[in-house]
């Protein structure tokens, strides 16, 4: 079993009252273990992506960070705090399978948008490992981070050598060959990363690069996969171009990130090998626009020809049966205008049903990350990673742009269900 599945389940707390938005995101929860409040969501329209239908007028009981029951027409237990949803939709928290979150403010923004689990695909100074450990300790409400540390690429980030000075002989020269790649991978593995991220091609988000250009041979990538798998850790490969992407798939990576120019033969090989595709369509759309994560005229020109290609590739992959996973490729920084809801809209736009698009950000993403036995569903025994939406996302996937409540491991991080105002004298009015 992978290192992911062997991880300790994070500490879970439930506050005694609804938490203020920002306080919930970074604060030691107010309820001690063993004193947690039981919460009953009543009148819920429950959408569990592990099934194909909606359970109406359901009662969902949450205790100690877990969903303990989901029952149509059920009643709230005596003493439980009741949250009447009045028919609103209770859905799993979103899983963003490709982020670059490296600080607490960015983690807050992701959580407020409904992301309760995220896979970091690159963060300097192993900040993603630190965020993961803070979440496990119960110091902040989430999202839960699965960490990859630094990219493995021919010229690693300078920070890697500051963190790992034993690699100093690799500074300012290309990291090539099985021995050098293995040393970089072992440095990540020794830091306890959950995934290894390798750049099989150049990036698209820098004006001086060519995203089709491959970096490593199949033999080099196979050695890297063997190094990681020996420690129970999967490898994710950034790859836009087909040559680099095909080499990565043949080498045994678990996922291809982006895959813009993949050919049908490579997609068929992915289907055969069980390789996931994480197309990150919406971030390519961001390339074409001023502002946001990217604001460069060269990238706007590049993005306009990349966008139809990545849409075409993702649609072809889905049609073949390759598992497609939703992700943003954003850092959720203060200038970011991209959220996972936008990727769900893109996936629905290329032909996925609304339910399949939701699964791409819940059950299928959880399978990729190795956490499908504990999150991504509204079902008994699963972690209480939950969102409330006003209307059915099966009829309008855009409902994910307007999340009304976020619960992460039983902690209410955002509550916009019932705004009230205090009048003088203490009387509360709607």
């Amino acid at each position: 079993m992978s290192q992911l599945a062997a991880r300790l389940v994070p500490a879970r707390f439930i506050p005694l009252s609804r938490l203020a938005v920002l306080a919930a995101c970074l604060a030691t929860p107010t309820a001690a273990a063993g004193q947690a409040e039981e919460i009953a969501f009543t009148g819920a329209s429950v959408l569990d992506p592990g099934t194909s239908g909606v359970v109406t007028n359901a009662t969902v009981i949450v205790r100690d960070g877990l969903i303990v029951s989901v029952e149509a027409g059920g009643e709230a237990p005596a003493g439980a705090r009741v949250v009447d949803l009045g028919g609103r939709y209770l859905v799993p928290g979103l899983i963003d399978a490709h982020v670059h979150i490296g600080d607490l403010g960015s983690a807050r923004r992701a959580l407020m948008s409904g992301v309760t689990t995220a896979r970091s695909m690159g963060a300097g100074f192993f900040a993603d490992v630190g965020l993961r450990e803070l979440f496990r300790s119960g110091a902040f409400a989430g999202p839960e981070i699965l960490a990859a540390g630094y990219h493995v690429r021919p010229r690693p980030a300078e920070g890697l050598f500051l963190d790992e000075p034993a690699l100093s002989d690799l500074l300012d020269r290309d990291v090539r060959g099985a021995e050098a790649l293995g040393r970089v991978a072992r440095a990540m593995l020794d830091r306890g990363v959950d995934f290894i991220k390798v750049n099989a091609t150049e990036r698209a988000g820098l004006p001086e690069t060519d995203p089709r250009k491959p970096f490593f041979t199949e033999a080099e990538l196979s050695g890297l996969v063997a190094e990681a798998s020996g420690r129970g850790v999967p490898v994710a490969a950034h790859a836009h171009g087909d040559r680099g992407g095909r080499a990565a798939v043949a080498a045994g990576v678990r996922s291809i990130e982006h895959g813009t120019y993949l050919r049908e033969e490579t997609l068929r090989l992915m289907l055969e090998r069980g390789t996931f595709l994480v197309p990150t369509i919406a971030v390519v759309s961001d390339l074409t626009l001023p502002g946001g994560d990217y604001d460069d005229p060269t990238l706007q020109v590049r993005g306009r020809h990349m966008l139809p290609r990545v849409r075409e590739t993702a649609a072809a992959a889905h049609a073949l049966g390759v598992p497609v996973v939703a992700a943003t490729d954003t850092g959720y920084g203060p200038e970011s205008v991209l959220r996972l809801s936008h990727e769900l809209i893109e996936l629905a736009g290329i032909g996925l049903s609304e339910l399949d698009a939701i699964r791409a950000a819940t059950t299928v993403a959880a399978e990729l990350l190795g956490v499908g036995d504990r999150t991504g569903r509204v079902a008994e025994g699963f972690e209480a990673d939950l969102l409330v939406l006003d209307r059915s996302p099966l009829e309008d996937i855009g409902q994910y742009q307007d999340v009304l409540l976020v619960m992460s491991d039983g902690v209410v991080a955002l509550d916009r269900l019932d705004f009230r105002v205090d009048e003088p004298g203490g009387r509360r009015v709607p």
Side-chain angles (χ1 to χ4, degrees):
M1 198 67 177
S2 74
Q3 211 174 46
L4 288 173
R7 292 180 305 136
L8 293 176
V9 175
R12 296 181 177 87
F13 303 86
I14 299 179
L16 294 175
S17 62
R18 292 180 179 178
L19 299 176
V21 171
L22 293 179
C25 296
L26 179 59
T28 301
T30 58
Q35 299 176 323
E37 182 184 33
E38 189 172 44
I39 297 177
F41 293 100
T42 63
S45 298
V46 173
L47 172 56
D48 174 17
T51 66
S52 58
V54 174
V55 180
T56 59
N57 192 31
T59 297
V60 177
I61 309 300
V62 172
R63 185 189 309 126
D64 295 327
L66 292 176
I67 299 168
V68 297
S69 67
V70 180
E71 184 180 354
E75 296 184 359
R81 178 161 67 87
V82 176
V83 180
D84 182 5
L85 296 184
R88 293 186 179 96
Y89 281 74
L90 190 68
V91 300
L94 296 173
I95 299 172
D96 192 335
H98 188 131
V99 303
H100 295 281
I101 294 175
D103 59 75
L104 291 164
S106 298
R108 293 186 185 104
R109 282 183 284 271
L111 184 64
M112 293 301 99
S113 72
V115 173
T116 54
T117 305
R119 182 181 60 157
S120 167
M121 286 282 93
F125 306 106
F126 295 100
D128 50 1
V129 175
L131 287 167
R132 182 191 68 196
E133 295 307 307
L134 283 175
F135 177 84
R136 289 183 182 180
S137 73
F140 82 116
E144 178 180 5
I145 300 291
L146 304 178
Y150 290 90
H151 299 183
V152 178
R153 62 192 188 200
R155 290 295 179 105
E158 181 182 281
L160 175 63
F161 301 102
L162 299 176
D163 282 317
E164 300 289 339
L167 298 174
S168 61
D169 59 301
L170 301 177
L171 182 64
D172 293 330
R173 71 178 181 87
D174 275 359
V175 176
R176 297 299 304 266
E179 191 274 336
L181 286 173
R183 288 177 60 199
V184 174
R186 286 191 292 276
M188 302 307 173
L189 295 166
D190 289 345
R191 291 292 187 118
V193 298
D194 303 295
F195 272 78
I196 294 288
K197 159 77 174 295
V198 62
N199 283 33
T201 71
E202 281 196 336
R203 291 181 56 189
L206 296 174
E208 67 273 15
T209 61
D210 186 335
R212 297 178 190 262
K213 181 181 177 181
F215 273 148
F216 299 112
T217 65
E218 181 184 329
E220 287 174 312
L221 293 170
S222 294
L224 182 67
V225 169
E227 186 77 48
S229 62
R231 302 271 285 269
V233 174
V235 175
H238 161 109
H240 287 283
D242 183 70
R243 184 175 176 183
R246 186 175 179 83
V249 175
V253 301
R254 184 155 175 80
S255 64
I256 293 292
E257 314 295 306
H258 317 305
T260 305
Y261 301 106
L262 297 184
R263 295 179 178 273
E264 183 178 339
E265 308 91 87
T266 302
L267 295 178
R268 290 190 179 279
L269 183 62
M270 292 175 69
L271 179 63
E272 176 186 322
R273 298 291 182 90
T275 312
F276 292 76
L277 177 65
V278 187
T280 63
I281 304 169
V283 78
V284 181
S285 180
D286 190 21
L287 280 182
T288 69
L289 302 171
D293 286 358
Y294 303 92
D295 191 4
D296 181 277
T298 299
L299 298 182
Q300 289 173 30
V301 172
R302 175 183 292 170
R304 283 195 287 270
H305 78 76
M306 287 183 67
L307 184 55
R309 286 297 297 268
V310 71
R311 286 171 172 163
E312 177 185 315
T313 299
H318 176 65
L320 283 173
V322 174
V324 174
V325 175
T328 59
D329 194 19
T330 185
Y332 288 93
E335 303 301 320
S336 172
V337 296
L338 183 60
R339 297 294 181 263
L340 195 56
S341 57
H342 305 139
E343 184 72 0
L344 298 185
I345 293 169
E346 284 283 358
L347 292 177
I350 63 166
L352 275 70
S353 69
E354 284 76 4
L355 181 57
D356 280 342
I358 293 166
R359 285 171 173 161
T362 53
T363 53
V364 181
E367 181 185 356
L368 166 62
L369 272 56
V371 296
D373 60 342
R374 62 181 179 85
T375 194
R377 295 188 58 189
V378 186
E380 181 179 343
F382 278 69
E383 293 170 359
D385 295 336
L386 299 169
L387 310 179
V388 175
L389 307 178
D390 194 39
R391 298 177 182 177
S392 172
L394 296 176
E395 298 177 4
D396 175 14
I397 198 71
Q399 288 296 308
Y400 281 98
Q401 296 179 100
D402 184 29
V403 175
L404 301 180
L405 181 141
V406 177
M407 173 178 277
S408 175
D409 260 18
V411 175
V412 177
L414 172 69
D415 184 353
R416 301 168 58 222
L417 287 173
D418 188 18
F419 292 109
R420 292 178 179 272
V421 179
D422 284 325
E423 283 191 341
R427 186 170 71 87
R428 296 182 70 80
V429 298

